[in-house]
Amino acid sequence: MREISRRQALVGLGALTFLAAGCGEDEAAKKGAQDLTSNKAGAMANYGVNQQFKASEPLSFDVLYNNHPFYPIKNDWLFWTELNKRTNVTFKPVVVPLSDYEQKRGLLIGAGDAPFIIPKTYPRQEEPFVSSGAILAVSEYVDLMPNFKDKIAKWNLQGDLKELMQADGRYYLLPGLHEEIWIDYSLAVRTDILEKLKLEVPKTWEDLYTVLKAMKAEYPDLYPMTDRWGIPTAGGNLLKMVAQAYGTRGGWEYHNATFDTATGKYVFTGAMEQYKQMLVYLNKLVKEKLLDPESFTQSDDAAKAKFTGGKSFVISTNAQTLINDYRPQLEKMNPDAKIVKIPVPVGPLGEVNRGTRLENGIMISKKALENKNFVAMMQLIDWLWYSDAGLEFAKWGVEGVTFTKDASGNYKLAKDVDYVGLNPGAPKHLQKDFGFGNGVFAYGGSTKLLESTFSEEELEFQKVMKTRKALPVDPPRPFNADEREQATLWETPLEDYVTQNTLKFILGERDLGEWDAYVKELEGKNMGSYMNLINTAYERFKKEHG
């Protein structure tokens, strides 16, 4: 669960024309972006904001499909038939298991076999495919997407889009768009254990240490905290949260370069003093047997079994895992057990949030531009992923069948349908039985739509998180083709070395007294040259694009 945000001159963008100046787009590219007269088959002539898209002839498009094990794909989902009814389009899913999605996506793109529509791509994941020309510079074609442009303007997302721009001034990913920053991942804590030990819900990471110490004293044979999401990113959520508290990046959010506002330059993340402080804290938890050392390598199933079986009392969570994974099983094992998702603990940086309003999004295969239905495909994408009606459809389904809506626009599930525990015990499930609320199609949107499925306790969590100050996003520093080629040779070895030593320091396999030696080892792996490359790219982009 990553973080988000693991990213181009615009033609005819109205409210987005601020990006067009100085983008250095060549005339051939400009002509290509405008000359679509042979690619309009099936398109609507007067498609606009919040207008129902319906192709003028039956169309079908291949789409890469990330198959989630909680709601495995079914051919008879209402989603497919209703999408066709509304849009005259049929999706042909190229199905890939969630566990293999990123690798398979890369192989398909590299081989030139990727579907036209490639969803579930997080910012920065598109970068390896830019220089090869395998994916489309989508920023040239968003004039075909009135709902996308409307939300960018309405929600003032122009600055956020700059995060995605590459060295050529274009961007190659259509991101999901959120009205506000959304924080979902935190820790689940057994509050019945807190009550038994007369402890308060921890508000800071030091509070958590105190709570874990008290739990350990009462249950000396247990690790009070075990964690999940250790594979493939060791400690993905835990490291992300603790790193943020100290002012750096870790876990799911880790990448080699972090912007230092004090110096106005990028610094190497894995060598920051703040990164060391994160390691010192986590090493203390492991050393004192408060945190299960298997947290960084065990499967999710193993972690969940420990937590729901009463072998631990604290674990990473988000809203859905709390309801779907933990609470039902825990209550079966122990009817008196109570758990909550606590506000993310704070650290030395204070009450801050690091987040982005850009969600995972869509790459478009460059081959799609040659297809006669290209314009219709872009209109479809715009309607399904960016219009109010499309966003509602993907999330909630069909009014009168899966949900109802009152005069104030508040949503309510049909009585026989459950979703995120809103109708516990209902015989049908919105995702499993109908295909709605599907992470391939349903993300982004207004805060009201986002929160429409939140329970009262989740709304309380969000209320607390919204009081915190949002940290600024790091400024763009896109590489040109030569820099990208050179950076690729350095990035993975550096990140792998940081990952290896992060685990060694946390688990006590390497003494933190060797920190300076570790930093010198990074220098021997071209850390300095890599950072010079990063800062050169940053300064150039700042000069050319502001």
Side-chain angles (χ1 to χ4, degrees):
M1 314 292 124
R2 267 98 325 7
E3 292 301 80
I4 100 184
S5 274
R6 247 105 166 66
R7 198 234 234 206
Q8 350 195 340
L10 305 178
V11 180
L13 291 191
L16 299 185
T17 52
F18 79 100
L19 287 176
C23 287
E25 140 187 81
D26 60 43
E27 289 305 310
K30 189 180 293 183
K31 181 181 177 183
Q34 294 173 337
D35 185 14
L36 296 170
T37 53
S38 62
N39 305 83
K40 293 183 177 179
M44 289 179 61
N46 298 303
Y47 175 64
V49 175
N50 285 327
Q51 182 178 355
Q52 174 64 53
F53 167 76
K54 189 158 190 175
S56 61
E57 60 186 71
L59 302 176
S60 67
F61 297 110
D62 290 347
V63 58
L64 195 63
Y65 185 86
N66 184 349
N67 197 20
H68 199 294
F70 183 71
Y71 45 92
I73 189 169
K74 294 180 181 178
N75 294 329
D76 63 351
W77 273 344
L78 180 60
F79 176 86
W80 308 121
T81 53
E82 187 68 21
L83 179 72
N84 178 261
K85 177 181 174 183
R86 297 188 186 197
T87 67
N88 208 16
V89 173
T90 300
F91 273 151
K92 295 189 292 186
V94 177
V95 181
V96 178
L98 181 149
S99 59
D100 198 32
Y101 188 74
E102 291 181 23
Q103 181 183 13
K104 183 68 171 177
R105 180 182 60 201
L107 291 172
L108 287 169
I109 294 173
D113 296 329
F116 286 176
I117 303 172
I118 311 168
K120 209 65 180 174
T121 300
Y122 285 87
R124 295 190 184 275
Q125 290 182 340
E126 81 281 11
E127 291 179 356
F129 311 114
V130 169
S131 59
S132 70
I135 59 173
L136 196 66
V138 290
S139 57
E140 295 184 75
Y141 303 97
V142 295
D143 56 327
L144 303 173
M145 305 179 67
N147 290 290
F148 178 86
K149 292 196 298 179
D150 179 62
K151 284 183 169 50
I152 294 293
K154 187 165 57 178
W155 296 342
N156 196 27
L157 285 160
Q158 295 91 337
D160 300 67
L161 270 187
K162 284 189 176 182
E163 294 179 58
L164 302 176
M165 290 174 70
Q166 300 299 313
D168 60 3
R170 302 167 184 155
Y171 56 89
Y172 292 73
L173 178 73
L174 287 169
L177 306 176
H178 281 282
E179 185 178 5
E180 297 180 290
I181 290 175
W182 171 39
I183 305 298
D184 187 16
Y185 289 82
S186 186
L187 296 174
V189 178
R190 283 276 301 273
T191 50
D192 57 309
I193 302 296
L194 294 183
E195 291 168 5
K196 176 182 177 181
L197 300 179
K198 296 181 170 52
L199 298 168
E200 298 292 327
V201 170
K203 294 182 178 179
T204 69
W205 289 103
E206 284 306 312
D207 289 346
L208 179 67
Y209 169 73
T210 301
V211 163
L212 295 175
K213 287 275 285 185
M215 289 175 170
K216 182 69 176 178
E218 182 71 14
Y219 302 93
D221 296 332
L222 304 180
Y223 288 105
M225 180 175 179
T226 196
D227 211 23
R228 64 180 299 181
W229 296 315
I231 303 171
T233 304
N237 183 53
L238 180 60
L239 266 67
K240 180 199 78 172
M241 293 189 297
V242 180
Q244 286 182 1
Y246 283 94
T248 185
R249 299 177 185 274
W252 287 332
E253 199 175 57
Y254 181 85
H255 45 83
N256 285 324
T258 295
F259 192 71
D260 180 11
T261 54
T263 62
K265 293 183 180 294
Y266 274 91
V267 296
F268 190 80
T269 307
M272 293 173 70
E273 176 61 26
Q274 295 95 322
Y275 198 87
K276 179 185 177 183
Q277 291 170 0
M278 172 195 74
L279 298 178
V280 169
Y281 176 81
L282 291 170
N283 171 257
K284 179 172 68 171
L285 299 189
V286 171
K287 187 164 57 177
E288 298 186 23
K289 300 188 185 305
L290 308 179
L291 173 62
D292 183 355
E294 293 182 355
S295 295
F296 305 96
T297 54
Q298 68 189 347
S299 69
D300 276 6
D301 286 344
K304 289 187 287 185
K306 290 175 182 178
F307 183 73
T308 59
K311 303 297 184 185
S312 66
F313 310 123
V314 181
I315 192 171
S316 281
T317 193
N318 63 18
Q320 287 204 41
T321 57
L322 183 79
I323 293 166
N324 294 334
D325 290 357
Y326 304 150
R327 190 165 279 156
Q329 188 63 29
L330 186 61
E331 289 175 351
K332 281 182 188 176
M333 304 285 285
N334 180 357
D336 296 325
K338 293 186 291 185
I339 54 172
V340 297
K341 184 176 86 165
I342 68 170
V344 178
V346 301
L349 216 58
E351 295 192 353
V352 297
N353 285 331
R354 186 191 296 280
T356 175
R357 294 188 290 165
L358 304 185
E359 183 47 289
N360 69 83
I362 302 163
M363 292 186 289
I364 305 295
S365 170
K366 186 71 173 289
K367 295 184 300 182
L369 188 58
E370 303 164 8
N371 188 274
K372 66 178 182 178
N373 305 125
F374 174 74
V375 173
M377 185 190 77
M378 296 300 285
Q379 291 177 344
L380 168 73
I381 290 170
D382 181 66
W383 179 81
L384 181 57
W385 276 279
Y386 299 104
S387 76
D388 292 345
L391 288 161
E392 177 186 270
F393 167 71
K395 188 178 185 76
W396 277 97
V398 179
E399 189 168 4
V401 178
T402 58
F403 76 96
T404 57
K405 197 160 52 168
D406 65 21
S408 300
N410 298 313
Y411 297 86
K412 187 175 183 180
L413 279 172
K415 291 181 180 180
D416 60 343
V417 179
D418 185 29
Y419 178 52
V420 294
L422 294 176
N423 270 345
K428 299 175 185 176
H429 193 277
L430 189 67
Q431 293 168 306
K432 296 178 182 180
D433 298 307
F434 296 96
F436 299 108
N438 185 324
V440 177
F441 307 113
Y443 47 81
S446 67
T447 299
K448 181 174 182 177
L449 182 67
L450 172 71
E451 295 184 348
S452 63
T453 57
F454 288 178
S455 64
E456 287 300 319
E457 66 175 320
E458 179 62 19
L459 289 171
E460 284 301 310
F461 172 87
Q462 294 297 331
K463 184 177 178 181
V464 173
M465 298 306 296
K466 285 179 183 179
T467 64
R468 300 183 180 181
K469 180 182 177 182
L471 294 172
V473 297
D474 287 352
R477 35 88 176 170
F479 293 133
N480 61 35
D482 290 341
E483 290 166 341
R484 165 54 58 196
E485 184 177 354
Q486 180 60 70
T488 300
L489 299 176
W490 293 335
E491 280 177 332
T492 301
L494 281 166
E495 184 167 344
D496 286 349
Y497 199 70
V498 171
T499 299
Q500 292 163 14
N501 281 275
T502 293
L503 280 181
K504 288 180 180 179
F505 284 130
I506 290 172
L507 298 176
E509 295 170 3
R510 185 170 189 181
D511 193 280
L512 279 155
E514 296 183 29
W515 178 260
D516 292 343
Y518 153 75
V519 172
K520 286 182 180 175
E521 291 156 11
L522 289 170
E523 291 170 354
K525 294 183 178 295
N526 301 296
M527 177 177 72
S529 298
Y530 176 72
M531 293 315 301
N532 286 337
L533 206 64
I534 290 273
N535 281 303
T536 297
Y538 161 62
E539 292 293 343
R540 180 183 61 243
F541 189 91
K542 182 171 66 169
K543 181 179 179 181
E544 293 177 356
H545 303 288

